[in-house]
């Protein structure tokens, strides 16, 4: 099997599994217990908090653990809006956000908040000038993702962060796809809230973290015990949290080299397709390394539905995904491609290849050999 769907999830790194294992066995304690077994678990949680904080370049007291990127997004957006509702009622986000952000915003609209959904250009970029323009009386929060999950476009967050700071508006970024792939120091980005998820960076599923700049408060979504600075009730997922810390530590050491390697594998795929004369449209900006995640490639092949190509590749042992979201039985073209102004037909032809740590040059050569053949067969 050749796995090319790392933006959906990643396999857990063996080094991560090794550090997690004792926390299922001898160090199984509840980190809130005062006895030694509990305190050993607490040490694991706090060590991980330091690892995540050092990765993000923030204080460990600014990191809280959650159950997922989705929960981090929900807590950042709804938690912030509800905590500061006396000071405003307007949120600015973009049309290409993940559903975790879009549906959190929709929920807030139902509660009387106003939300502006910014358009993007044909490569999926938000214009920082548009963010500036939309700031109004009552704007509380700006939430723009760092890198898009479907097309890999990186957003100009530094410029947006600067505007947010100048206008004293809080700035959240969903960095679930960016963390571990590109530099994600919170003070470089200039964000006040940042969401991340362990399973996208070779850690376990069901664990996330939220960076909350010192001085900001949030209204908790879960009510119960006083865990995670009273912001997220519930006994901590200790093995998962320990795994997330290790995943961050590994990413900080290997990210730069790995980025170069993935970029060159991505170029290899593109070159291979060009040589074979296959007709395609690129939905990912690839000319400048600053423009997109190194391992993401969203591509529409002429004359073939993405879903049909996905199935054919799967039969050959190659896993990719489509840019489409399946809603109530009908396959609708993705909201991201739609926002980029891509026609319904081209959007339905999109497939997303997302490369990762396990992919080798030999695998990519195999993909280049198989993919054009399948494309030609499916067209004829
Ligand atoms: N945000 C983005 C950009 C994502 O790609 C994802 C997952 O695909 C999420 C949020 C949700 O993360 P999780 O799967 O941890 O809930």
């Amino acid at each position: 099997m050749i796995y090319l769907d790392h933006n959906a999830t990643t396999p857990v790194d063996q080094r991560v599994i090794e550090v997690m294992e004792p926390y299922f066995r001898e160090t199984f304690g509840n980190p809130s217990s005062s006895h030694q077994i509990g305190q050993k678990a607490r040490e694991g949680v706090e060590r991980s908090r330091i690892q995540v904080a050092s990765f993000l370049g923030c204080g460990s007291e600014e990191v809280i653990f959650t159950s997922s990127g989705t929960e981090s997004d929900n807590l950042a957006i709804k938690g912030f809006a509800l905590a500061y509702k006396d000071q405003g009622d307007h949120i600015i986000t973009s049309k290409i956000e993940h559903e975790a952000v879009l549906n959190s915003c929709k929920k807030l609209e139902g509660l009387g908040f106003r939300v502006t959904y910014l358009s993007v250009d044909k490569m999926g970029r938000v214009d920082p000038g548009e963010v500036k323009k939309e700031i109004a009386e009552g704007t509380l929060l700006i939430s723009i993702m760092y890198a898009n999950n479907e097309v890999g476009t990186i957003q100009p967050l530094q410029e947006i962060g600067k505007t947010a700071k100048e206008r004293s508006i809080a700035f959240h970024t969903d960095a679930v796809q960016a963390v571990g792939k590109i530099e994600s120091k919170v003070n470089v980005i200039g964000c006040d809230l940042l969401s991340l998820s362990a399973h996208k960076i070779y850690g376990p599923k069901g664990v996330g973290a939220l960076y909350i700049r010192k001085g900001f408060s949030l209204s908790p979504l879960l009510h119960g015990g006083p865990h995670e600075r009273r912001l997220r009730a519930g006994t901590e997922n200790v093995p998962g949290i320990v795994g997330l810390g290790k995943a961050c530590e590994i990413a900080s050491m290997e990210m730069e080299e790995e980025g170069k390697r993935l970029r060159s594998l991505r170029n290899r795929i593109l070159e291979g397709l060009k040589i074979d004369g296959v007709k395609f449209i690129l939905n990912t900006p690839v000319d400048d390394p600053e423009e997109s995640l190194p391992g993401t490639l969203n591509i529409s092949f002429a004359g073939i539905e993405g879903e049909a190509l996905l199935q054919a590749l799967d039969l050959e042992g190659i896993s990719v995904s489509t840019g489409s979201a399946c809603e109530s039985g009908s396959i609708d073209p993705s909201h991201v491609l739609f926002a980029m102004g891509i026609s319904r037909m081209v959007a339905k032809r999109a497939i997303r290849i997302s490369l990762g740590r396990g992919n080798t040059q030999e695998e990519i050569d195999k993909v280049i050999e198989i993919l054009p053949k399948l494309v030609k067969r499916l067209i004829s």
Side-chain angles (χ1 to χ4, degrees), residues 146-160:
Y146 195 175
N148 183 263
N149 41 310
E150 290 186 30
V151 292
T153 304
I154 297 171
Q155 300 298 338
L157 291 195
Q158 286 187 27
E159 282 176 77
I160 298 170

Side-chain angles (χ1 to χ4, degrees), residues 9-13 16 20 197-207 240 243-244 247 357:
T9 196
T10 55
V12 184
D13 190 295
V16 170
M20 286 174 69
S197 175
H199 77 101
K200 309 286 185 182
I201 56 169
Y202 308 91
K205 291 169 185 59
V207 195
L244 169 59
R357 215 172 263 170

Side-chain angles (χ1 to χ4, degrees), residues 7-8 68-71 73 98 100 145 147 149 174 176-177 197 199-200 207:
N7 287 11
S68 57
T70 297
E71 189 189 331
D73 285 341
H98 188 271
M145 71 197 323
N149 41 310
D174 172 347
V176 166
Q177 289 293 342
S197 175
H199 77 101
K200 309 286 185 182
V207 195

Side-chain angles (χ1 to χ4, degrees), residues 14-323:
Q14 183 56 34
R15 294 166 288 182
V16 170
I17 294 174
E18 277 161 26
V19 297
M20 286 174 69
E21 229 182 328
Y23 292 88
F24 290 108
R25 301 176 196 275
E26 62 275 16
T27 322
F28 63 86
N30 185 325
S32 298
S33 300
S34 334
H35 48 62
Q36 289 181 49
I37 295 181
Q39 287 312 295
K40 278 245 152 56
R42 169 60 57 200
E43 278 167 30
V45 170
E46 296 314 318
R47 191 181 328 110
S48 172
R49 205 183 305 277
I50 292 169
Q51 287 167 317
V52 176
S54 128
F55 186 51
L56 297 177
C58 64
S60 57
E61 71 288 357
E62 295 176 301
V63 173
I64 69 155
F65 294 113
T66 66
S67 70
S68 57
T70 297
E71 189 189 331
S72 297
D73 285 341
N74 272 260
L75 181 55
I77 295 168
K78 294 190 289 191
F80 187 88
L82 294 176
Y84 291 93
K85 64 179 188 306
D86 295 341
Q87 295 177 29
D89 64 349
H90 180 228
I91 293 150
I92 298 173
T93 187
S94 82
K95 290 183 180 165
I96 59 154
E97 300 295 315
H98 188 271
E99 285 82 353
V101 167
L102 292 176
N103 289 336
S104 293
C105 288
K106 292 230 167 77
K107 178 71 190 172
L108 287 174
E109 283 184 291
L111 297 176
F113 286 86
R114 294 174 296 127
V115 182
T116 300
Y117 299 91
L118 294 172
S119 297
V120 292
D121 68 13
K122 63 181 195 320
M123 277 303 160
R125 252 172 78 103
V126 170
D127 176 355
E130 287 296 310
V131 177
K132 225 181 226 175
K133 250 197 242 161
E134 292 299 336
I135 294 174
E137 179 89 27
T139 304
L140 270 183
L141 177 69
I142 298 169
S143 179
I144 303 290
M145 71 197 323
Y146 195 175
N148 183 263
N149 41 310
E150 290 186 30
V151 292
T153 304
I154 297 171
Q155 300 298 338
L157 291 195
Q158 286 187 27
E159 282 176 77
I160 298 170
K162 208 165 144 249
T163 301
K165 197 167 179 197
E166 279 164 12
R167 305 290 294 269
S168 303
I169 296 164
F171 178 31
H172 165 249
T173 186
D174 172 347
V176 166
Q177 289 293 342
V179 161
K181 296 173 188 152
I182 53 175
E183 194 55 71
S184 301
K185 296 274 189 262
V186 291
N187 286 332
V188 176
I189 296 169
C191 61
D192 304 305
L193 299 152
L194 178 145
S195 308
L196 63 88
S197 175
H199 77 101
K200 309 286 185 182
I201 56 169
Y202 308 91
K205 291 169 185 59
V207 195
L210 179 64
Y211 156 74
I212 310 164
R213 188 177 289 281
K214 209 171 171 179
F216 284 81
S217 56
L218 299 178
S219 181
L221 304 179
L222 298 181
H223 302 99
H227 311 92
E228 296 299 296
R229 290 178 25 222
R230 298 189 176 274
L231 289 173
R232 203 276 173 183
T235 301
E236 298 86 342
N237 169 2
V238 180
I241 289 170
V242 167
L244 169 59
K246 184 68 181 176
C248 286
E249 186 189 281
I250 296 170
S252 67
M253 289 184 303
E254 299 181 356
M255 188 168 66
E256 206 179 318
E257 279 310 304
E258 180 65 359
K260 286 184 201 152
R261 194 182 74 87
L262 295 184
R263 203 176 296 284
S264 103
L265 290 181
R266 184 175 74 171
N267 286 342
R268 206 176 173 85
I269 296 179
L270 280 175
E271 289 309 315
L273 292 177
K274 280 182 200 154
I275 290 168
D276 245 283
V278 179
K279 285 208 180 94
F280 61 86
I281 293 174
L282 264 184
N283 303 318
T284 297
V286 294
D287 296 337
D288 182 344
E290 306 279 296
E291 285 180 322
S292 65
L293 294 174
T296 303
L297 189 60
N298 192 304
I299 205 165
S300 296
F301 289 95
I304 310 162
E305 295 243 331
E307 192 57 34
L309 185 53
L310 179 152
Q311 298 297 341
L313 283 165
D314 196 32
L315 288 175
E316 298 284 344
I318 300 171
S319 321
V320 299
S321 79
T322 60

